[in-house]
Amino acid sequence: MRTYDDPCGVARALDHVGERWALLIVRELLLGPKRFTDLRAGLPGASQNVLSQRLRELEESGVLRRRKLPPPAASRVYELTERGSELEPVVLALAQWGSRMPLTSTGPLSVDALLYALKSTFDPGAADGFEGSVELRLGEESILATVSAGQLTFARDGAGGDAVLRADAETIRSVVFAGRNLEESEVEGDRQVAERFVTLFPRPPMSS
């Protein structure tokens, strides 16, 4: 593993998570374990060899671990360790900082990237007086987004929201950040909850 050979805490952290794709792998695992194929789907720009190498390095650094699921699944997944989960504020801060930069990519947005875009732009003031939950059905994934006491939380494989918003990640992104009509998404349940939910994420001003 390459090192900055610098005693500063920032450099020591980057010795472990500073390689390309490392923090994006962490982003993909913050809401729960994933199989290698799931990680490939969420990070289509990373080759299989590079992704495998980063996963080995992060495992050696104690950021993540491999685990075999019990039957009937019996598949191997990657999940963050406690040390890896401590990186969530770092990922969120980077998402908030990066959201003020001009958009330079036309690539697809993964489900987890969308969720952290929502989390990094969530405005508690806009949510004042609002309590509710929306089940985001994004392709084969289901995420329960709950707003309570001015906080936004996500639960993977969640169900039972006040409303269900069925669309792909790119459509939700367009509705929330580009003013796309919610009518273009499939909404079930309490429509007022869904309509209020998509207004809670004001796009931050661009950095000059």
Side-chain angles (χ1 to χ4, degrees):
M1 184 181 294
R2 293 182 294 182
T3 175
Y4 286 100
D5 193 24
D6 185 324
C8 166
V10 174
R12 286 151 58 195
L14 291 175
D15 282 344
H16 297 278
V17 295
E19 293 287 352
R20 194 164 186 241
W21 300 108
L23 280 177
L24 294 185
I25 291 172
V26 172
R27 179 199 71 193
E28 291 293 308
L29 295 176
L30 281 169
L31 289 175
K34 288 187 176 183
R35 299 169 299 172
F36 184 83
T37 52
D38 299 325
L39 290 169
R40 283 292 312 276
L43 300 169
S47 70
Q48 181 170 330
N49 288 341
V50 169
L51 183 56
S52 296
Q53 181 179 344
R54 291 294 172 268
L55 288 168
R56 284 195 301 269
E57 292 167 353
L58 291 170
E59 187 174 10
E60 290 168 1
S61 292
V63 174
L64 58 79
R65 59 177 164 248
R66 284 177 292 176
R67 176 169 63 89
K68 187 174 182 179
L69 295 177
S75 57
R76 293 191 179 277
V77 295
Y78 293 88
E79 63 183 3
L80 295 178
T81 61
E82 182 177 353
R83 184 182 187 188
S85 296
E86 290 171 354
L87 287 165
E88 182 171 17
V90 177
V91 173
L92 185 57
L94 280 172
Q96 291 169 332
W97 188 78
S99 66
R100 299 195 301 272
M101 303 297 176
L103 188 63
T104 58
S105 172
T106 57
L109 194 72
S110 77
V111 169
D112 291 78
L114 169 68
L115 299 180
Y116 273 86
L118 296 177
K119 202 161 190 176
S120 66
T121 56
F122 174 71
D123 182 3
D128 186 37
F130 174 71
E131 302 265 336
S133 58
V134 175
E135 182 183 343
L136 302 174
R137 292 186 186 169
L138 307 167
E140 296 181 357
E141 294 203 54
S142 178
I143 307 293
L144 186 64
T146 301
V147 178
S148 180
Q151 292 188 327
L152 171 67
T153 58
F154 295 118
R156 196 180 296 279
D157 299 322
D162 302 308
V164 176
L165 186 54
R166 193 191 305 270
D168 57 32
E170 198 57 46
T171 299
I172 299 295
R173 177 189 184 187
S174 297
V175 168
V176 172
F177 299 123
R180 185 172 177 176
N181 198 322
L182 188 61
E183 297 291 341
E184 298 180 41
S185 307
E186 184 178 340
V187 180
E188 303 171 9
D190 193 329
R191 190 174 189 85
Q192 287 187 329
V193 169
E195 290 175 343
R196 179 69 184 277
F197 176 79
V198 299
T199 68
L200 305 181
F201 313 94
R203 189 161 184 82
M206 294 292 104
S207 297
S208 56

